[in-house]
Amino acid sequence: MPRLPQRIVCLSTETVEVLYDLGEEERIAGISGFTVYPPRARKEKPKVSGFSSAKADKILEVRPDLVLAFSDLQAGICAELVKAGIEVHLFNQRDVAGILAMVETVGRLVGAAERAHALADDLAARVEAVRREATALPCRPRVYFEEWDEPMISGIRWVSEFIAIAGGEDIFAELAAKPGARERIIADPDEVVRRAPDLIVGSWCGKHFRPEKVRARPGWDAIPALARGQLAEVKSADILAPGPAAIRLGLPALAAAIRAAAEAADRA
């Protein structure tokens, strides 16, 4: 009998990405329809769930011996699967350290601890490289990161950490530690105006950022970011899933926008 799981279902994109990075993709028996990285996973693996919506019978059809899930939003389906006799590991990484720990835990679960440790080290080195580059910025621009527009929702914890790592200051840092999107709603748009960000970054989950909609908000023309033309998009798929892609793609993209805003603020 094999000691390690042979048929893994991944209910979120991050663990799919890690298993591919580790060369353990043959173990994946099913994925979420919201999986993004690596792109080939969508062609190679059956889609057995959404993200917050999933049906136990659909997952059980692929005969998993381990299900990897993420966050409280998947707690309900995890409970159903446990009752059906399936082993489940529910991750809840919310910061950079948690992302690295998730990578190493997935590696241990599939007997690839050394490769996972090397992957985590590589990701950590990328973070530190961005942090070092940020020390050369002429100033620390104030950043408003918008995760959704209607209602306006500010960025989650790992995004706030990325902003600091890249040399910026998250203007809603006090909200970032709150895991639920409802807890990060900005009820008063004028509060963004009062906090006067030097950079506005849009990363609207599942849809394109529309700068013209931001520019049209009443009173927002007084914001330094808009006066200097410092609006940027970081693709939501690249930063809003707490996995390797957020570090490889999202963090550098955010750092580039912060660098441009810092230079613009220094010239102003």
Side-chain angles (χ1 to χ4, degrees):
M1 291 290 291
R3 296 183 178 181
L4 297 173
Q6 303 297 308
R7 298 188 58 79
I8 301 174
V9 166
C10 300
L11 299 184
S12 66
T13 188
E14 307 86 23
T15 50
V16 176
E17 186 182 3
V18 172
L19 287 168
Y20 270 86
D21 281 345
L22 297 178
E24 297 290 341
E25 64 270 23
E26 291 302 317
R27 297 180 187 271
I28 300 175
I31 63 173
S32 162
F34 289 92
T35 297
V36 177
Y37 293 112
R40 67 187 182 99
R42 295 182 59 82
K43 300 176 182 178
E44 297 174 350
K45 304 298 179 180
K47 301 174 187 68
V48 299
S49 75
F51 177 72
S52 57
S53 61
K55 295 183 178 179
D57 55 354
K58 180 74 172 177
I59 296 168
L60 293 172
E61 283 177 4
V62 299
R63 298 176 289 108
D65 51 13
L66 175 64
V67 172
L68 301 179
F70 169 67
S71 86
D72 58 301
L73 295 176
Q74 295 186 341
I77 187 61
C78 288
E80 287 187 53
L81 292 169
V82 169
K83 289 177 183 177
I86 303 300
E87 187 168 342
V88 175
H89 189 110
L90 175 65
F91 289 99
N92 204 21
Q93 69 273 15
R94 299 287 178 169
D95 54 18
V96 174
I99 293 171
L100 301 179
M102 178 272 293
V103 168
E104 298 216 39
T105 299
V106 171
R108 288 193 293 270
L109 288 171
V110 298
E114 289 188 11
R115 276 173 280 151
H117 185 69
L119 174 58
D121 279 351
D122 174 73
L123 295 171
R126 291 170 185 262
V127 171
E128 290 310 308
V130 172
R131 196 192 305 274
R132 285 194 303 272
E133 290 172 4
T135 62
L137 295 180
C139 63
R140 292 185 66 86
R142 295 168 57 77
V143 181
Y144 169 52
F145 186 99
E146 189 169 280
E147 189 176 310
W148 191 250
D149 61 327
E150 296 177 348
M152 291 162 46
I153 299 174
S154 65
I156 200 165
R157 184 171 176 179
W158 65 87
V159 172
S160 185
E161 286 192 0
F162 283 175
I163 291 170
I165 289 163
E169 178 186 341
D170 179 7
I171 67 168
F172 287 106
E174 77 277 10
L175 300 180
K178 299 181 182 299
R182 288 195 180 101
E183 300 170 293
R184 291 181 280 109
I185 290 175
I186 300 164
D188 181 7
D190 287 341
E191 186 59 27
V192 179
V193 180
R194 287 188 286 271
R195 299 194 185 197
D198 300 297
L199 170 65
I200 295 174
V201 178
S203 189
W204 295 349
C205 186
K207 66 180 182 180
H208 289 298
F209 177 55
R210 294 179 58 190
E212 72 277 8
K213 289 188 68 175
V214 174
R215 293 190 188 97
R217 291 172 183 171
W220 279 42
D221 54 349
I223 294 175
L226 292 181
R228 300 178 193 135
Q230 296 302 308
L231 287 89
E233 178 181 18
V234 176
K235 292 180 181 178
S236 60
D238 291 350
I239 199 167
L240 294 184
I247 292 174
R248 290 188 182 124
L249 303 174
L251 176 56
L254 183 60
I258 289 173
R259 187 180 310 112
E263 292 169 353
D266 189 52
R267 291 192 300 267

